[in-house]
């Protein structure tokens, strides 16, 4: 800070003719002549100058002011530093509303560009400081959460990897569901079932490893986790099956074949209803709900045979004559699935699905076309409202308490439309549906 300007006193004047090396008056002498004469004003400075002791006091005062000013600035700097120290809490905040259709490329079938746009929504997560925690207290659309609430027990890096996988999966499901809705052939495929875990005490211990990719079970080709069940059909706990898997990567890939004795799991643990499970999710069709294979044959009445492993698809894709590429950018998680599916439908039909308007959408899309609930929906409502979009499609399966919060945040300027399936969403935007492929 530039110091304030302070007037500076002129030096005392000397009498004309005085010896500069001799004092003007001897000690104790009385002044000679008229004291009002300027020549006899040696005790005072001329032209408004201050006496010497007053100048010293003024200098000391200025130094004190600068000292206290510096102390004040130092205290402010310390307080500012404390206020912006990261805390162990995170702010779950309204994010962005982005167009989906411009991120989609279609080849192998006609595609169109129309007015309006399907928009997908995001949530912004930021580590809170003491200063920004206040926002979480006063803003109804901001939630304060612990690190474990946001990222889970595995931590931030593992959570981000998992959410990226879920986004990649949501794009595949959206592509398959949208193409089938429009009348194009489309099915999931992959390069096998990748082993994620081996249950302790199960028949696969010491034979299969995490990272192995199963390509065959008892002579049945395996491209997806659900294909494993075909190899186990007609088997019982205690039977033996031949499992072929790909192990390693790059130049170190080898093929292994193992004879595995099947364990057992309760029939109600069966996850064979793959129509409601994403193809890339861990399947329990090969491992009991407790994560461990039960005893050998006959151990549990009505038990089903299991390999005692958990798996996911290796390199999943959509097998279709139509190729759809979706660029999700830096956004992760599954909640844009419905938006991707609607955007593909809009790109592949000549009329505008949104009637030339911008419509915001959120919801996970499942392989059977149903719309699943998602997290952060209150924050997404706030983001949509702030973006000026007037219609928001969301999952009908959203919990009641979250719906109440949504409506409080939305107020009267945002129309909230719950949908249960992709077909519901299309009809909500374009009554009567859209033109489909022959």
């Amino acid at each position: 800070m530039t110091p304030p300007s302070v007037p500076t006193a002129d030096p005392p004047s000397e009498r004309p003719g005085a010896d500069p090396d001799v004092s003007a008056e001897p000690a104790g002498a009385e002044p000679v002549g008229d004291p009002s004469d300027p020549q006899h004003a040696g005790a005072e400075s001329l032209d408004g100058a201050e006496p010497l002791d007053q100048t010293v006091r003024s200098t000391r005062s200025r130094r004190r002011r600068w000292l206290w000013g510096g102390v004040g600035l130092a205290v402010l700097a310390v307080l500012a530093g404390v206020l912006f120290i990261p805390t162990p809490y995170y702010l779950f905040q309204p994010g962005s509303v982005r167009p989906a259709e411009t991120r989609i490329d279609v080849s192998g079938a006609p595609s169109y560009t129309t007015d309006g746009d399907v928009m997908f929504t995001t949530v912004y997560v930021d580590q809170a400081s003491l200063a920004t925690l206040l926002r979480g207290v006063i803003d109804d659309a901001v939630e304060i959460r612990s690190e474990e609430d946001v990222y889970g027990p595995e931590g931030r890096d593992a959570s981000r990897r998992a959410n990226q996988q879920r986004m990649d999966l949501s794009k595949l499901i959206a592509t398959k569901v949208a193409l089938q809705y429009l009348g194009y052939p489309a099915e999931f495929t992959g390069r096998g079932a990748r082993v994620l875990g081996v249950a302790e005490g199960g028949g696969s211990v010491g034979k299969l490893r995490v990272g192995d990719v199963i390509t065959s079970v008892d002579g049945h080709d395996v491209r997806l986790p659900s294909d494993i069940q075909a190899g186990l059909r007609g088997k019982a706990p205690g039977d033996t099956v031949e499992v072929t898997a790909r192990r390693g990567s790059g130049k170190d890939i080898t093929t292994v074949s193992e004879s595995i004795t099947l364990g057992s799991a309760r029939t109600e643990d069966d996850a064979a209803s793959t129509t409601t499970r994403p193809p890339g999710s861990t399947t329990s069709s090969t491992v009991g709900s407790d994560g461990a294979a039960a005893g050998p044959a006959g151990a549990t009445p009505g038990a089903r045979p299991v390999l005692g492993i958990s798996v996911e698809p290796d390199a999943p894709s959509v097998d279709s004559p139509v190729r759809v590429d979706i660029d999700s950018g830096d956004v992760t998680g599954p909640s844009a699935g419905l938006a991707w599916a609607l955007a593909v439908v809009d790109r592949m039909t000549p009329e505008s699905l949104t009637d030339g308007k911008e419509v915001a959408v959120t919801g996970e899309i499942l392989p059977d076309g149903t719309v699943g609930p998602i997290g952060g929906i209150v924050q997404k409502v706030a983001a949509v409202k702030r973006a000026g979009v007037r219609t928001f499609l969301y999952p009908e399966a959203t919990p009641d308490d979250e719906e109440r919060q949504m409506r409080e945040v939305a107020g009267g300027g945002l129309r909230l439309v719950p949908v249960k399936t992709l077909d519901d969403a299309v009809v909500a935007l374009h009554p009567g549906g859209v033109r489909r492929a022959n």
Side-chain angles (χ1 to χ4, degrees), residues 115-340:
D115 293 334
D117 212 335
V118 173
M119 316 284 287
F120 68 97
T121 59
T122 69
V123 169
Y124 179 57
V125 180
D126 186 32
Q127 188 169 8
S129 65
L130 290 176
T132 58
L133 276 176
L134 181 62
R135 186 181 177 199
V137 175
I138 64 177
D139 191 337
D140 291 339
V142 177
E143 294 181 21
I144 300 174
R145 299 187 180 184
S146 69
E147 183 172 1
E148 184 167 345
D149 287 340
V150 175
Y151 297 113
E154 293 80 13
R156 183 182 307 184
D157 291 342
S159 174
R160 286 175 175 170
R161 287 193 298 270
N163 274 323
Q164 184 59 61
Q165 292 173 348
R166 297 178 77 188
M167 168 58 83
D168 294 341
L169 180 60
S170 77
K171 294 188 290 186
L172 290 178
I173 297 174
T175 297
K176 179 250 189 187
V177 170
L179 290 177
Q180 288 184 336
Y181 177 83
L182 293 171
Y184 293 97
E187 296 294 340
F188 293 121
T189 189
R191 298 180 61 243
R194 181 182 299 276
V195 177
L196 296 177
V198 179
E200 185 177 350
S204 296
V205 173
K207 298 185 176 183
L208 293 177
R209 304 176 185 173
V210 172
D212 286 353
V213 177
I214 298 172
T215 56
S216 173
V217 174
D218 229 31
H220 294 269
D221 288 341
V222 173
R223 293 184 175 274
L224 294 170
S226 56
D227 296 333
I228 292 176
Q229 295 180 29
L232 302 183
R233 191 170 292 124
K235 304 294 182 181
D239 290 348
T240 300
V241 294
E242 290 295 319
V243 176
T244 302
R246 191 170 60 247
R247 178 172 295 168
S249 61
K251 296 180 179 179
D252 297 327
I253 290 180
T254 59
T255 299
V256 296
S257 293
E258 297 286 354
S259 295
I260 296 177
T261 301
L262 298 174
S264 65
R266 296 184 303 273
T267 302
E268 58 266 29
D269 293 334
D270 197 351
S273 55
T274 55
T275 55
T276 58
R277 289 181 61 87
S281 61
T282 302
T283 175
S284 61
S285 63
T286 54
V287 64
S289 62
D290 59 356
T300 306
R304 61 186 177 86
V306 295
L307 289 171
I309 56 174
S310 57
V311 292
E312 68 177 3
D314 180 60
S317 61
V318 175
D319 184 14
S320 174
V322 181
R323 179 182 175 89
V324 176
D325 293 306
I326 302 175
D327 178 11
S328 54
D330 59 353
V331 181
T332 63
S335 65
L338 178 59
W340 297 135

Side-chain angles (χ1 to χ4, degrees), residues 1-6 62 66:
M1 180 175 69
T2 304
S5 175
V6 179
R62 289 196 300 273
W66 277 105

Side-chain angles (χ1 to χ4, degrees), residues 377-390:
I377 195 164
V378 175
Q379 289 71 35
K380 291 176 181 179
V381 169
V384 171
K385 184 177 180 180
R386 294 171 188 179
V389 179
R390 301 186 64 82

Side-chain angles (χ1 to χ4, degrees), residues 57-104:
R57 287 196 299 272
S58 176
T59 301
R60 290 174 178 173
S61 177
R62 289 196 300 273
R63 287 175 179 172
R64 284 196 296 270
R65 288 198 298 270
W66 277 105
L67 176 62
W68 285 113
V71 170
L73 288 175
V75 170
L76 288 175
V78 170
L79 287 175
V82 169
L83 288 174
F84 289 96
I85 291 175
T87 71
Y89 298 99
Y90 287 77
L91 298 181
F92 219 59
Q93 311 172 70
S96 59
V97 182
R98 312 183 188 185
E101 294 178 43
T102 56
R103 296 169 175 264
I104 293 174

